[in-house]
Amino acid sequence: MKDYKNVIIYNHPLVRHKIAILRDERTSMKEFRELIEEITTLMTYESLKEGVPTTEIEVKTPLETCTQTVVADNSIVIVPILRAGLGMVNGVHVLFPSAKVGHIGMFRNEETLRPETYYCKLPKGIEDKLVLLVDPMLATGGSACDAIAHLKSIGCKNIKFMAIIGAPEGIAKVAEAHPDVSIYVSTVDRCLNEHGYILPGLGDAGDRLFGTK
């Protein structure tokens, strides 16, 4: 896969360990959901090392007063791409419990493999926040590209996209369509099959999260 300046691929042994269990078809729905959240928390920690709005406050310790840097209040919005992206929200909230949550609902047309939007509800003032767009699987890249384009159309300028597993085709599509958006992926799989699913992948993340078929 071509190297893109806006794409960051993690190679953390703890994340690789969790992804190995995540892939296993024997992993229960409960454990699958927990693993998605745990991996998301680890990714959030790394992804938000830069670009997070901060401010300085005065803190009084038992010995003296000092100046400390904190994340600015009401500065981060989590936007999951429905429905699988919902599984990542709690993983971000572990680190940013006060972050507001918007929702973009999309489904893949099984004939065209193109995403179709059916729902969108975003917090007021999102255009001035750091938007963390999340979806466990970056397959064809269609949903991510459309979601980013919509966020930009309403004025969002600081967007980060985070996926757990990506296909080279999807990563390339999003990276080239939105070079100003940082893309964070835990691992890159081999390719897409003829139905647009990632190989080896882990199946349908939404179905495994919510127990549907």
Side-chain angles (χ1 to χ4, degrees):
M1 187 183 75
K2 178 181 174 182
D3 288 333
Y4 295 96
K5 292 182 179 179
N6 60 325
V7 176
I8 298 89
I9 308 298
Y10 296 126
N11 192 29
H12 195 290
L14 182 57
V15 173
R16 291 202 306 268
H17 171 85
K18 292 180 182 297
I19 288 176
I21 304 171
L22 198 66
R23 293 188 194 276
D24 195 325
E25 64 180 3
R26 298 168 298 178
T27 297
S28 69
M29 182 177 67
K30 175 180 180 294
E31 189 175 11
F32 189 91
R33 185 170 58 248
E34 291 171 346
L35 286 164
I36 290 284
E37 293 180 7
E38 291 167 3
I39 294 168
T40 301
T41 299
L42 292 170
M43 291 186 68
T44 302
Y45 174 80
E46 290 294 330
S47 302
L48 299 189
K49 288 194 298 186
E50 298 179 354
V52 179
T54 60
T55 187
E56 291 188 345
I57 63 171
E58 293 295 316
V59 176
K60 190 176 185 304
T61 79
L63 300 176
E64 63 180 23
T65 299
C66 60
T67 301
Q68 295 290 282
T69 300
V70 297
V71 176
D73 288 338
N74 194 29
S75 61
I76 296 173
V77 174
I78 312 163
V79 179
I81 297 177
L82 303 181
R83 63 194 161 120
L86 288 172
M88 299 177 71
V89 172
N90 286 344
V92 181
H93 268 155
V94 168
L95 299 180
F96 299 99
S98 63
K100 293 181 179 179
V101 181
H103 300 86
I104 295 179
M106 294 181 170
F107 69 90
R108 182 169 61 175
N109 186 306
E110 294 302 327
E111 294 183 0
T112 65
L113 301 183
R114 289 288 305 158
E116 297 185 14
T117 303
Y118 64 89
Y119 182 79
C120 184
K121 182 75 171 179
L122 302 171
K124 185 178 180 180
I126 189 174
E127 64 275 9
D128 299 319
K129 316 296 183 186
L130 166 60
V131 180
L132 189 58
L133 183 68
V134 296
D135 194 355
M137 310 295 283
L138 175 52
T140 65
S143 294
C145 279
D146 285 6
I148 293 169
H150 179 73
L151 290 169
K152 287 182 175 180
S153 74
I154 61 172
C156 296
K157 303 176 186 65
N158 190 2
I159 304 168
K160 292 176 181 283
F161 175 68
M162 194 163 67
I164 293 176
I165 294 177
E169 299 93 327
I171 293 171
K173 181 171 183 174
V174 181
E176 292 172 7
H178 300 285
D180 55 329
V181 173
S182 296
I183 302 163
Y184 300 88
V185 182
S186 280
T187 190
V188 180
D189 276 9
R190 188 173 73 253
C191 65
L192 298 175
N193 67 11
E194 66 274 17
H195 302 294
Y197 284 93
I198 302 174
L199 297 176
L202 46 73
D204 187 296
D207 286 347
R208 296 191 67 182
L209 277 164
F210 303 115
T212 52
K213 291 289 185 182

